[in-house]
Amino acid sequence: MRRPLLYGLAGALLIVLVGALTVPRLLSSSESYNGTLVDATGEPEEFQLASAAGDVQLSDFRGRLVVMYFGYTSCPDFCPATLAKLAQVRERLGGDAEGVQILMITVDPERDDPERLAQFVTSFDGTFVGLSGSEEQLRNVASQFGIFFQKQEGSEATGYLVDHTTTLVVLDRDGRERLYLGWDLTAEQIENDLRNLIS
Amino acid sequence: MPGIIAILLLLAAPACGSNDNDAAIAAEEVVVADVWSRPAQLLDGDGHVHDASAASEEDESARTNGVVYLTLKNDGSVDERLISASSDVAMTAELHTVNMVDGVMQMRQAVDGIELPAGETVRFEPGGLHIMLIGLTRALEPGDEFSVSLTFEHAAELTVRAEVRDQ
């Protein structure tokens, strides 16, 4: 009778200990973040894409938070709205904005060369960087962050449109995937989440 | 308290009335309000400004697109439909819907137009219904205004002014 009792007590103690360690973390996460926290242990696969200023590697941004948006310059609605919102986020961050790099990675390599992307993103904020590459390169980068994109037939005027995931992916200073931000979050909510990661 | 509420209503009423008169233009029974667009720079790909309209016609990939949002209210007793739109700052314009499916944005041309049921208000707003301007012929700066013409199934064509807002 004693042994089962001991095992039972030890098991209960273990549950309490694990609970004490994990529950506060979960609670604090859900209370202070508007986006979805990711507990990624490894670093994302390194990638190299083209900016108007030359080739860029993901590791070049180590030491800063990286916010990645996947979109395209011919998109009239969601993409300008998101970049305008991210420009507001940088304004709201004030001096802390220096530690945040916004990247727009195209889902339309056929039309978005690095120069066109640079013109587009810097019209929202001079520090934004636009990245392009081959279809294969872009698919590899997007898929490792769970981003989907697919061309859809358009009209004679639009040629084609591109369906794409609108979620923002945030990497921490060590280059680890930390946060997903939904399209419906406000500039204030995004600012809050980025400040949490900065502090 | 009722007295205070009544006074507040009286104070608010003239302001609402004048705004409505300024912003809304009635076309028979469709009322159009809050017509706006976003700033847009012409994207010619090499960082230089060329003859925008010529570049746009020649090369689809060099086109810059824009957007118009507005509010349409069908004050009539019969259902109406917005059939098409055009603008003096774009080669062409299309009516578009947006659906979000599992976080994926799906934008489609509304080839049959947009229904405006009798007595209802339909809002074209970011992340939803919009007029897509295809092949902008000039840059749009905050504070600029341009024309947008709307064609309805029943009501007469209506031309309204869109304001470029920095938001």
mmCIF file of all heavy atoms in Angstrom, chain A residues 11-58:
data_model
loop_
_atom_site.group_PDB
_atom_site.id
_atom_site.type_symbol
_atom_site.label_atom_id
_atom_site.label_comp_id
_atom_site.label_asym_id
_atom_site.label_seq_id
_atom_site.Cartn_x
_atom_site.Cartn_y
_atom_site.Cartn_z
ATOM 1 N N GLY A 11 3.808 11.663 -8.121
ATOM 2 C CA GLY A 11 3.149 12.080 -9.375
ATOM 3 C C GLY A 11 2.433 13.398 -9.182
ATOM 4 O O GLY A 11 2.551 14.311 -10.021
ATOM 5 N N ALA A 12 1.711 13.523 -8.066
ATOM 6 C CA ALA A 12 0.962 14.751 -7.801
ATOM 7 C C ALA A 12 1.912 15.930 -7.682
ATOM 8 O O ALA A 12 1.664 17.019 -8.198
ATOM 9 C CB ALA A 12 0.140 14.592 -6.522
ATOM 10 N N LEU A 13 3.050 15.675 -6.976
ATOM 11 C CA LEU A 13 4.047 16.730 -6.796
ATOM 12 C C LEU A 13 4.592 17.191 -8.144
ATOM 13 O O LEU A 13 4.756 18.391 -8.399
ATOM 14 C CB LEU A 13 5.188 16.198 -5.912
ATOM 15 C CG LEU A 13 6.178 17.266 -5.398
ATOM 16 C CD1 LEU A 13 5.469 18.259 -4.493
ATOM 17 C CD2 LEU A 13 7.325 16.587 -4.644
ATOM 18 N N LEU A 14 4.847 16.221 -9.020
ATOM 19 C CA LEU A 14 5.375 16.529 -10.351
ATOM 20 C C LEU A 14 4.390 17.398 -11.130
ATOM 21 O O LEU A 14 4.766 18.397 -11.755
ATOM 22 C CB LEU A 14 5.636 15.216 -11.109
ATOM 23 C CG LEU A 14 6.434 15.356 -12.412
ATOM 24 C CD1 LEU A 14 7.854 15.827 -12.110
ATOM 25 C CD2 LEU A 14 6.466 14.025 -13.151
ATOM 26 N N ILE A 15 3.113 17.031 -11.062
ATOM 27 C CA ILE A 15 2.085 17.791 -11.779
ATOM 28 C C ILE A 15 2.040 19.237 -11.261
ATOM 29 O O ILE A 15 2.011 20.191 -12.024
ATOM 30 C CB ILE A 15 0.705 17.108 -11.624
ATOM 31 C CG1 ILE A 15 0.691 15.812 -12.449
ATOM 32 C CG2 ILE A 15 -0.426 18.036 -12.068
ATOM 33 C CD1 ILE A 15 -0.485 14.898 -12.158
ATOM 34 N N VAL A 16 2.113 19.360 -9.925
ATOM 35 C CA VAL A 16 2.068 20.697 -9.328
ATOM 36 C C VAL A 16 3.273 21.518 -9.774
ATOM 37 O O VAL A 16 3.159 22.690 -10.145
ATOM 38 C CB VAL A 16 2.011 20.600 -7.777
ATOM 39 C CG1 VAL A 16 2.257 21.962 -7.137
ATOM 40 C CG2 VAL A 16 0.660 20.055 -7.344
ATOM 41 N N LEU A 17 4.449 20.859 -9.758
ATOM 42 C CA LEU A 17 5.680 21.573 -10.142
ATOM 43 C C LEU A 17 5.630 22.038 -11.593
ATOM 44 O O LEU A 17 5.927 23.190 -11.908
ATOM 45 C CB LEU A 17 6.888 20.649 -9.955
ATOM 46 C CG LEU A 17 7.522 20.682 -8.562
ATOM 47 C CD1 LEU A 17 8.606 19.612 -8.455
ATOM 48 C CD2 LEU A 17 8.109 22.062 -8.287
ATOM 49 N N VAL A 18 5.237 21.114 -12.477
ATOM 50 C CA VAL A 18 5.166 21.448 -13.910
ATOM 51 C C VAL A 18 4.154 22.565 -14.118
ATOM 52 O O VAL A 18 4.402 23.535 -14.845
ATOM 53 C CB VAL A 18 4.804 20.200 -14.756
ATOM 54 C CG1 VAL A 18 4.468 20.600 -16.182
ATOM 55 C CG2 VAL A 18 5.952 19.203 -14.738
ATOM 56 N N GLY A 19 3.028 22.436 -13.423
ATOM 57 C CA GLY A 19 1.983 23.457 -13.541
ATOM 58 C C GLY A 19 2.483 24.807 -13.082
ATOM 59 O O GLY A 19 2.283 25.821 -13.740
ATOM 60 N N ALA A 20 3.201 24.811 -11.931
ATOM 61 C CA ALA A 20 3.696 26.069 -11.374
ATOM 62 C C ALA A 20 4.670 26.732 -12.328
ATOM 63 O O ALA A 20 4.759 27.959 -12.405
ATOM 64 C CB ALA A 20 4.379 25.797 -10.032
ATOM 65 N N LEU A 21 5.412 25.898 -13.065
ATOM 66 C CA LEU A 21 6.396 26.463 -13.985
ATOM 67 C C LEU A 21 5.777 26.965 -15.284
ATOM 68 O O LEU A 21 6.219 27.952 -15.850
ATOM 69 C CB LEU A 21 7.473 25.414 -14.311
ATOM 70 C CG LEU A 21 8.448 25.100 -13.177
ATOM 71 C CD1 LEU A 21 9.328 23.906 -13.543
ATOM 72 C CD2 LEU A 21 9.323 26.318 -12.881
ATOM 73 N N THR A 22 4.759 26.250 -15.774
ATOM 74 C CA THR A 22 4.255 26.587 -17.114
ATOM 75 C C THR A 22 3.046 27.519 -17.112
ATOM 76 O O THR A 22 2.941 28.378 -17.975
ATOM 77 C CB THR A 22 3.869 25.313 -17.900
ATOM 78 O OG1 THR A 22 2.925 24.598 -17.110
ATOM 79 C CG2 THR A 22 5.057 24.462 -18.204
ATOM 80 N N VAL A 23 2.152 27.358 -16.147
ATOM 81 C CA VAL A 23 0.922 28.150 -16.177
ATOM 82 C C VAL A 23 1.185 29.663 -16.154
ATOM 83 O O VAL A 23 0.625 30.394 -16.959
ATOM 84 C CB VAL A 23 -0.052 27.722 -15.052
ATOM 85 C CG1 VAL A 23 -1.188 28.712 -14.893
ATOM 86 C CG2 VAL A 23 -0.599 26.333 -15.356
ATOM 87 N N PRO A 24 2.078 30.143 -15.248
ATOM 88 C CA PRO A 24 2.308 31.590 -15.257
ATOM 89 C C PRO A 24 2.816 32.088 -16.599
ATOM 90 O O PRO A 24 2.460 33.165 -17.052
ATOM 91 C CB PRO A 24 3.365 31.779 -14.164
ATOM 92 C CG PRO A 24 3.237 30.583 -13.289
ATOM 93 C CD PRO A 24 2.832 29.470 -14.207
ATOM 94 N N ARG A 25 3.668 31.253 -17.257
ATOM 95 C CA ARG A 25 4.188 31.659 -18.577
ATOM 96 C C ARG A 25 3.053 31.797 -19.577
ATOM 97 O O ARG A 25 2.975 32.755 -20.316
ATOM 98 C CB ARG A 25 5.185 30.628 -19.093
ATOM 99 C CG ARG A 25 6.598 30.882 -18.595
ATOM 100 C CD ARG A 25 7.564 29.927 -19.253
ATOM 101 N NE ARG A 25 7.667 30.152 -20.682
ATOM 102 C CZ ARG A 25 8.177 29.268 -21.528
ATOM 103 N NH1 ARG A 25 8.612 28.121 -21.083
ATOM 104 N NH2 ARG A 25 8.267 29.552 -22.801
ATOM 105 N N LEU A 26 2.170 30.796 -19.568
ATOM 106 C CA LEU A 26 1.055 30.824 -20.518
ATOM 107 C C LEU A 26 0.153 32.015 -20.236
ATOM 108 O O LEU A 26 -0.273 32.713 -21.141
ATOM 109 C CB LEU A 26 0.246 29.518 -20.430
ATOM 110 C CG LEU A 26 0.939 28.273 -20.978
ATOM 111 C CD1 LEU A 26 0.112 27.035 -20.683
ATOM 112 C CD2 LEU A 26 1.168 28.412 -22.480
ATOM 113 N N LEU A 27 -0.104 32.245 -18.925
ATOM 114 C CA LEU A 27 -1.001 33.339 -18.559
ATOM 115 C C LEU A 27 -0.411 34.671 -18.981
ATOM 116 O O LEU A 27 -1.062 35.500 -19.589
ATOM 117 C CB LEU A 27 -1.259 33.335 -17.047
ATOM 118 C CG LEU A 27 -2.273 32.303 -16.543
ATOM 119 C CD1 LEU A 27 -2.399 32.392 -15.047
ATOM 120 C CD2 LEU A 27 -3.635 32.524 -17.206
ATOM 121 N N SER A 28 0.897 34.860 -18.656
ATOM 122 C CA SER A 28 1.497 36.147 -18.975
ATOM 123 C C SER A 28 1.526 36.344 -20.486
ATOM 124 O O SER A 28 1.325 37.442 -20.974
ATOM 125 C CB SER A 28 2.902 36.256 -18.396
ATOM 126 O OG SER A 28 3.750 35.346 -19.049
ATOM 127 N N SER A 29 1.728 35.236 -21.246
ATOM 128 C CA SER A 29 1.757 35.354 -22.702
ATOM 129 C C SER A 29 0.413 35.812 -23.229
ATOM 130 O O SER A 29 0.329 36.756 -23.993
ATOM 131 C CB SER A 29 2.091 34.008 -23.335
ATOM 132 O OG SER A 29 3.339 33.577 -22.870
ATOM 133 N N SER A 30 -0.642 35.140 -22.777
ATOM 134 C CA SER A 30 -1.941 35.444 -23.352
ATOM 135 C C SER A 30 -2.427 36.822 -22.903
ATOM 136 O O SER A 30 -3.215 37.447 -23.568
ATOM 137 C CB SER A 30 -2.953 34.362 -22.966
ATOM 138 O OG SER A 30 -3.071 34.318 -21.568
ATOM 139 N N GLU A 31 -1.920 37.285 -21.752
ATOM 140 C CA GLU A 31 -2.383 38.578 -21.270
ATOM 141 C C GLU A 31 -1.699 39.745 -21.954
ATOM 142 O O GLU A 31 -2.287 40.783 -22.149
ATOM 143 C CB GLU A 31 -2.159 38.661 -19.755
ATOM 144 C CG GLU A 31 -3.261 37.983 -18.970
ATOM 145 C CD GLU A 31 -2.900 37.824 -17.523
ATOM 146 O OE1 GLU A 31 -1.863 38.359 -17.104
ATOM 147 O OE2 GLU A 31 -3.662 37.137 -16.826
ATOM 148 N N SER A 32 -0.416 39.565 -22.304
ATOM 149 C CA SER A 32 0.316 40.742 -22.754
ATOM 150 C C SER A 32 0.522 40.820 -24.262
ATOM 151 O O SER A 32 1.007 41.816 -24.748
ATOM 152 C CB SER A 32 1.663 40.798 -22.038
ATOM 153 O OG SER A 32 2.342 39.583 -22.232
ATOM 154 N N TYR A 33 0.179 39.781 -24.991
ATOM 155 C CA TYR A 33 0.375 39.802 -26.445
ATOM 156 C C TYR A 33 -0.965 39.769 -27.182
ATOM 157 O O TYR A 33 -1.874 39.039 -26.786
ATOM 158 C CB TYR A 33 1.216 38.602 -26.897
ATOM 159 C CG TYR A 33 2.690 38.781 -26.616
ATOM 160 C CD1 TYR A 33 3.226 38.386 -25.400
ATOM 161 C CD2 TYR A 33 3.526 39.363 -27.559
ATOM 162 C CE1 TYR A 33 4.570 38.559 -25.128
ATOM 163 C CE2 TYR A 33 4.879 39.545 -27.300
ATOM 164 C CZ TYR A 33 5.391 39.142 -26.085
ATOM 165 O OH TYR A 33 6.722 39.321 -25.812
ATOM 166 N N ASN A 34 -1.059 40.556 -28.222
ATOM 167 C CA ASN A 34 -2.257 40.536 -29.064
ATOM 168 C C ASN A 34 -2.118 39.505 -30.185
ATOM 169 O O ASN A 34 -3.096 38.966 -30.675
ATOM 170 C CB ASN A 34 -2.500 41.912 -29.669
ATOM 171 C CG ASN A 34 -2.680 42.961 -28.591
ATOM 172 O OD1 ASN A 34 -3.632 42.899 -27.821
ATOM 173 N ND2 ASN A 34 -1.756 43.907 -28.511
ATOM 174 N N GLY A 35 -0.889 39.270 -30.603
ATOM 175 C CA GLY A 35 -0.629 38.266 -31.630
ATOM 176 C C GLY A 35 -0.458 36.896 -31.009
ATOM 177 O O GLY A 35 -0.700 36.702 -29.818
ATOM 178 N N THR A 36 -0.021 35.935 -31.818
ATOM 179 C CA THR A 36 0.164 34.560 -31.339
ATOM 180 C C THR A 36 1.649 34.286 -31.145
ATOM 181 O O THR A 36 2.431 34.356 -32.103
ATOM 182 C CB THR A 36 -0.395 33.569 -32.380
ATOM 183 O OG1 THR A 36 -1.742 33.937 -32.654
ATOM 184 C CG2 THR A 36 -0.345 32.148 -31.867
ATOM 185 N N LEU A 37 2.027 33.992 -29.905
ATOM 186 C CA LEU A 37 3.437 33.702 -29.613
ATOM 187 C C LEU A 37 3.811 32.325 -30.133
ATOM 188 O O LEU A 37 3.014 31.395 -30.067
ATOM 189 C CB LEU A 37 3.675 33.730 -28.114
ATOM 190 C CG LEU A 37 3.995 35.079 -27.469
ATOM 191 C CD1 LEU A 37 4.221 34.880 -25.986
ATOM 192 C CD2 LEU A 37 5.219 35.722 -28.104
ATOM 193 N N VAL A 38 5.021 32.220 -30.644
ATOM 194 C CA VAL A 38 5.523 30.935 -31.115
ATOM 195 C C VAL A 38 6.734 30.604 -30.267
ATOM 196 O O VAL A 38 7.562 31.474 -30.020
ATOM 197 C CB VAL A 38 5.986 31.035 -32.588
ATOM 198 C CG1 VAL A 38 6.327 29.668 -33.141
ATOM 199 C CG2 VAL A 38 4.956 31.723 -33.433
ATOM 200 N N ASP A 39 6.824 29.369 -29.821
ATOM 201 C CA ASP A 39 7.963 28.980 -29.007
ATOM 202 C C ASP A 39 8.950 28.200 -29.863
ATOM 203 O O ASP A 39 9.202 27.024 -29.635
ATOM 204 C CB ASP A 39 7.476 28.140 -27.814
ATOM 205 C CG ASP A 39 8.487 28.153 -26.686
ATOM 206 O OD1 ASP A 39 9.432 28.955 -26.771
ATOM 207 O OD2 ASP A 39 8.333 27.369 -25.746
ATOM 208 N N ALA A 40 9.478 28.868 -30.869
ATOM 209 C CA ALA A 40 10.388 28.183 -31.791
ATOM 210 C C ALA A 40 11.768 28.083 -31.152
ATOM 211 O O ALA A 40 12.307 29.076 -30.677
ATOM 212 C CB ALA A 40 10.460 28.948 -33.109
ATOM 213 N N THR A 41 12.316 26.897 -31.122
ATOM 214 C CA THR A 41 13.623 26.709 -30.485
ATOM 215 C C THR A 41 14.754 26.926 -31.487
ATOM 216 O O THR A 41 15.771 27.505 -31.166
ATOM 217 C CB THR A 41 13.725 25.300 -29.889
ATOM 218 O OG1 THR A 41 13.291 24.368 -30.880
ATOM 219 C CG2 THR A 41 12.881 25.161 -28.644
ATOM 220 N N GLY A 42 14.535 26.490 -32.716
ATOM 221 C CA GLY A 42 15.592 26.623 -33.718
ATOM 222 C C GLY A 42 15.487 27.913 -34.484
ATOM 223 O O GLY A 42 14.504 28.637 -34.388
ATOM 224 N N GLU A 43 16.535 28.213 -35.223
ATOM 225 C CA GLU A 43 16.498 29.402 -36.075
ATOM 226 C C GLU A 43 15.910 29.024 -37.418
ATOM 227 O O GLU A 43 16.069 27.909 -37.882
ATOM 228 C CB GLU A 43 17.917 29.922 -36.292
ATOM 229 C CG GLU A 43 18.530 30.502 -35.052
ATOM 230 C CD GLU A 43 19.996 30.843 -35.265
ATOM 231 O OE1 GLU A 43 20.396 31.027 -36.432
ATOM 232 O OE2 GLU A 43 20.723 30.917 -34.269
ATOM 233 N N PRO A 44 15.239 29.981 -38.091
ATOM 234 C CA PRO A 44 14.733 29.683 -39.437
ATOM 235 C C PRO A 44 15.912 29.424 -40.380
ATOM 236 O O PRO A 44 17.021 29.886 -40.116
ATOM 237 C CB PRO A 44 14.001 30.960 -39.839
ATOM 238 C CG PRO A 44 13.939 31.819 -38.639
ATOM 239 C CD PRO A 44 14.963 31.347 -37.680
ATOM 240 N N GLU A 45 15.623 28.728 -41.439
ATOM 241 C CA GLU A 45 16.663 28.455 -42.428
ATOM 242 C C GLU A 45 17.146 29.788 -43.018
ATOM 243 O O GLU A 45 16.333 30.655 -43.330
ATOM 244 C CB GLU A 45 16.026 27.602 -43.530
ATOM 245 C CG GLU A 45 16.999 26.789 -44.328
ATOM 246 C CD GLU A 45 16.240 25.936 -45.334
ATOM 247 O OE1 GLU A 45 15.336 25.171 -44.928
ATOM 248 O OE2 GLU A 45 16.542 26.088 -46.522
ATOM 249 N N GLU A 46 18.431 29.936 -43.142
ATOM 250 C CA GLU A 46 18.983 31.168 -43.725
ATOM 251 C C GLU A 46 18.488 31.326 -45.162
ATOM 252 O O GLU A 46 18.304 30.337 -45.879
ATOM 253 C CB GLU A 46 20.513 31.059 -43.720
ATOM 254 C CG GLU A 46 21.243 32.186 -44.422
ATOM 255 C CD GLU A 46 21.222 33.512 -43.657
ATOM 256 O OE1 GLU A 46 20.118 33.956 -43.273
ATOM 257 O OE2 GLU A 46 22.297 34.101 -43.469
ATOM 258 N N PHE A 47 18.210 32.560 -45.577
ATOM 259 C CA PHE A 47 17.865 32.770 -46.985
ATOM 260 C C PHE A 47 18.539 34.016 -47.512
ATOM 261 O O PHE A 47 18.955 34.895 -46.743
ATOM 262 C CB PHE A 47 16.349 32.828 -47.194
ATOM 263 C CG PHE A 47 15.629 33.959 -46.502
ATOM 264 C CD1 PHE A 47 15.733 35.261 -46.969
ATOM 265 C CD2 PHE A 47 14.811 33.705 -45.416
ATOM 266 C CE1 PHE A 47 15.052 36.298 -46.356
ATOM 267 C CE2 PHE A 47 14.121 34.737 -44.777
ATOM 268 C CZ PHE A 47 14.242 36.042 -45.252
ATOM 269 N N GLN A 48 18.665 34.058 -48.818
ATOM 270 C CA GLN A 48 19.233 35.231 -49.482
ATOM 271 C C GLN A 48 18.278 35.676 -50.567
ATOM 272 O O GLN A 48 17.867 34.881 -51.404
ATOM 273 C CB GLN A 48 20.591 34.883 -50.083
ATOM 274 C CG GLN A 48 21.246 36.061 -50.807
ATOM 275 C CD GLN A 48 22.679 35.767 -51.193
ATOM 276 O OE1 GLN A 48 23.509 35.439 -50.336
ATOM 277 N NE2 GLN A 48 22.968 35.852 -52.473
ATOM 278 N N LEU A 49 17.886 36.948 -50.522
ATOM 279 C CA LEU A 49 16.994 37.508 -51.535
ATOM 280 C C LEU A 49 17.579 38.834 -52.009
ATOM 281 O O LEU A 49 18.528 39.350 -51.397
ATOM 282 C CB LEU A 49 15.582 37.707 -50.963
ATOM 283 C CG LEU A 49 14.802 36.430 -50.608
ATOM 284 C CD1 LEU A 49 13.515 36.771 -49.851
ATOM 285 C CD2 LEU A 49 14.463 35.614 -51.862
ATOM 286 N N ALA A 50 16.978 39.375 -53.069
ATOM 287 C CA ALA A 50 17.541 40.591 -53.670
ATOM 288 C C ALA A 50 16.771 41.833 -53.245
ATOM 289 O O ALA A 50 15.543 41.881 -53.353
ATOM 290 C CB ALA A 50 17.517 40.457 -55.190
ATOM 291 N N SER A 51 17.517 42.839 -52.770
ATOM 292 C CA SER A 51 16.930 44.163 -52.530
ATOM 293 C C SER A 51 17.497 45.102 -53.596
ATOM 294 O O SER A 51 18.427 44.730 -54.320
ATOM 295 C CB SER A 51 17.292 44.670 -51.133
ATOM 296 O OG SER A 51 18.604 45.196 -51.132
ATOM 297 N N ALA A 52 16.975 46.322 -53.668
ATOM 298 C CA ALA A 52 17.475 47.270 -54.665
ATOM 299 C C ALA A 52 18.931 47.626 -54.379
ATOM 300 O O ALA A 52 19.675 48.035 -55.268
ATOM 301 C CB ALA A 52 16.597 48.517 -54.673
ATOM 302 N N ALA A 53 19.361 47.454 -53.112
ATOM 303 C CA ALA A 53 20.734 47.799 -52.738
ATOM 304 C C ALA A 53 21.671 46.603 -52.807
ATOM 305 O O ALA A 53 22.826 46.695 -52.400
ATOM 306 C CB ALA A 53 20.734 48.386 -51.320
ATOM 307 N N GLY A 54 21.172 45.473 -53.295
ATOM 308 C CA GLY A 54 22.005 44.273 -53.401
ATOM 309 C C GLY A 54 21.393 43.108 -52.646
ATOM 310 O O GLY A 54 20.309 43.231 -52.062
ATOM 311 N N ASP A 55 22.113 41.986 -52.670
ATOM 312 C CA ASP A 55 21.585 40.785 -52.008
ATOM 313 C C ASP A 55 21.568 40.958 -50.496
ATOM 314 O O ASP A 55 22.453 41.593 -49.916
ATOM 315 C CB ASP A 55 22.435 39.566 -52.383
ATOM 316 C CG ASP A 55 22.146 39.108 -53.812
ATOM 317 O OD1 ASP A 55 21.144 39.587 -54.376
ATOM 318 O OD2 ASP A 55 22.916 38.300 -54.349
ATOM 319 N N VAL A 56 20.557 40.365 -49.906
ATOM 320 C CA VAL A 56 20.354 40.483 -48.465
ATOM 321 C C VAL A 56 20.147 39.093 -47.889
ATOM 322 O O VAL A 56 19.463 38.262 -48.483
ATOM 323 C CB VAL A 56 19.079 41.344 -48.207
ATOM 324 C CG1 VAL A 56 18.576 41.169 -46.797
ATOM 325 C CG2 VAL A 56 19.364 42.817 -48.497
ATOM 326 N N GLN A 57 20.780 38.842 -46.747
ATOM 327 C CA GLN A 57 20.564 37.566 -46.055
ATOM 328 C C GLN A 57 19.765 37.831 -44.788
ATOM 329 O O GLN A 57 19.904 38.904 -44.180
ATOM 330 C CB GLN A 57 21.904 36.947 -45.671
ATOM 331 C CG GLN A 57 22.707 36.524 -46.890
ATOM 332 C CD GLN A 57 23.950 35.766 -46.487
ATOM 333 O OE1 GLN A 57 24.590 36.122 -45.506
ATOM 334 N NE2 GLN A 57 24.267 34.720 -47.224
ATOM 335 N N LEU A 58 18.990 36.852 -44.392
ATOM 336 C CA LEU A 58 18.185 37.010 -43.176
ATOM 337 C C LEU A 58 19.091 37.346 -41.985
ATOM 338 O O LEU A 58 18.765 38.195 -41.153
ATOM 339 C CB LEU A 58 17.393 35.717 -42.902
ATOM 340 C CG LEU A 58 16.531 35.716 -41.652
ATOM 341 C CD1 LEU A 58 15.502 36.838 -41.695
ATOM 342 C CD2 LEU A 58 15.825 34.375 -41.484
#
